[in-house]
Amino acid sequence: MNSKTTDRIATLFFWAAGIFILLILAWFLIRILGAGLPHLTWDFVTGKPEDIVAGGGVGPQLFNSFYILFLSLLFSLPVGLGAGIYLAVYAKKSRFTEIVRMSVETLSSVPSIVFGLFGFLLFVDLMNFKISILSGSLALALLNLPVLVRVTEESIRTVPESYWEASLALGSTKWQAIRKVLIPSALPSLITGITLVAGRALGESAILIYTSGLSVSRHFPDFNPLTMGETLSTHLWYIQAEAIVPDAKKIAEGSAALLLVVVLIFNLLIGIPSRIIQKRLTGGK
């Protein structure tokens, strides 16, 4: 078999694999959105949930999803970005840094339910934050940290070393070179990584079942971080598993479609500016 034949077979295989994945994705989208979009009325999206009678909404759950996401990023971004910059710029090659990198990679593969149980023991029980939005946000921040550290380190390392050397040669300090050269150059990759982390956090349920709970505040919107904070994803699990409302299937279908739409819009709102920034930094290429 000559090289041209091998190349054609490999090309055909990769095209087939890509089309197969796209078909699976399209099937999921059509099935979820087709069943749920008819239920997405304004009253459903902004209304309060009902426990017994039909006709409840998911307004508090939608608010809690973004509130917990915001708090989790508020806790995890400074630590994750700082640790990634340290490993990429300041840390010298040693056994300690290798252990740190290995630990980060190991933590990034730990199942989310383990973080949920750990968050319950640490934040709910030991630190006495109880089952609340704050506990859920802190546990979710722990889930985000390993990914943020790896994304930041790899993003900084993809910046050409000549940028760093030129900045230092012009008399800038390390911090000035990081702030004005490395971070702006790595910004598109950093935004992509943060988008992936945020999208994962929006759809996370195992952690939040144990830490933020399956109930919402009587007040809406409620910014008190010590109240229970059921999110869209945990509400979807609860509706499918334990709800007794007569329109549980309708609520589940609507919640699934709304969650999917929210994640898609969120990724587009962050992804499009990222592409624009990347084109400007690369001269439109």
Side-chain angles (χ1 to χ4, degrees):
M1 186 180 295
N2 56 39
S3 57
K4 288 186 178 180
T5 304
T6 304
D7 179 69
R8 289 175 182 174
I9 293 174
T11 302
L12 182 63
F13 171 77
F14 289 124
W15 269 101
I19 293 172
F20 178 70
I21 295 298
L22 288 176
L23 289 175
I24 293 178
L25 179 61
W27 180 76
F28 273 109
L29 290 174
I30 292 171
R31 180 163 184 175
I32 295 174
L33 295 179
L37 284 180
H39 306 313
L40 294 187
T41 63
W42 180 252
D43 291 335
F44 178 80
V45 174
T46 61
K48 293 184 179 181
E50 296 287 349
D51 293 326
I52 300 176
V53 299
V58 293
Q61 286 84 358
L62 181 61
F63 169 77
N64 288 337
S65 296
F66 282 101
Y67 191 28
I68 290 177
L69 172 63
F70 170 76
L71 290 179
S72 67
L73 292 178
L74 186 67
F75 296 138
S76 60
L77 279 179
V79 179
L81 295 179
I85 292 172
Y86 168 78
L87 290 174
V89 177
Y90 291 97
K92 297 180 180 179
K93 189 174 182 180
S94 63
R95 180 171 294 181
F96 172 74
T97 56
E98 291 301 320
I99 292 175
V100 170
R101 288 191 177 94
M102 184 178 67
S103 301
V104 169
E105 291 176 358
T106 303
L107 285 174
S108 63
S109 62
V110 172
S112 59
I113 193 170
V114 176
F115 281 101
L117 293 172
F118 178 76
F120 177 83
L121 292 174
L122 179 61
F123 303 122
V124 177
D125 190 21
L126 184 62
M127 301 182 70
N128 200 29
F129 290 152
K130 300 181 180 180
I131 296 180
S132 62
I133 290 174
L134 180 60
S135 297
S137 301
L138 290 170
L140 204 56
L142 293 180
L143 177 70
N144 294 340
L145 269 178
V147 180
L148 285 173
V149 172
R150 293 299 298 164
V151 166
T152 303
E153 183 182 3
E154 294 301 325
S155 299
I156 296 296
R157 290 188 181 278
T158 57
V159 178
E161 194 171 349
S162 58
Y163 289 15
W164 172 258
E165 294 173 349
S167 179
L168 294 179
L170 291 174
S172 64
T173 62
K174 278 189 174 183
W175 170 238
Q176 288 174 331
I178 292 170
R179 183 166 54 91
K180 295 184 178 181
V181 177
L182 292 186
I183 292 180
S185 299
L187 193 58
S189 299
L190 289 175
I191 293 176
T192 301
I194 293 171
T195 304
L196 293 174
V197 167
R200 180 187 181 187
L202 275 175
E204 186 56 55
S205 59
I207 285 181
L208 300 178
I209 289 173
Y210 293 102
T211 53
S212 64
L214 297 171
S215 181
V216 295
S217 172
R218 291 178 296 174
H219 307 287
F220 171 60
D222 192 344
F223 291 92
N224 182 3
L226 295 179
T227 60
M228 295 183 71
E230 184 184 44
T231 63
L232 266 178
S233 56
T234 54
H235 184 63
L236 177 59
W237 175 86
Y238 171 77
I239 287 294
Q240 290 283 68
E242 300 182 13
I244 59 174
V245 289
D247 60 342
K249 184 178 179 180
K250 171 185 172 182
I251 296 174
E253 291 174 346
S255 299
L258 180 60
L259 182 61
L260 184 58
V261 169
V262 165
V263 172
L264 289 174
I265 293 176
F266 184 81
N267 280 271
L268 287 175
L269 290 177
I270 298 181
I272 292 175
S274 174
R275 293 297 299 272
I276 294 173
I277 294 172
Q278 188 174 14
K279 285 186 177 181
R280 288 180 178 178
L281 291 175
T282 56
K285 296 181 180 180

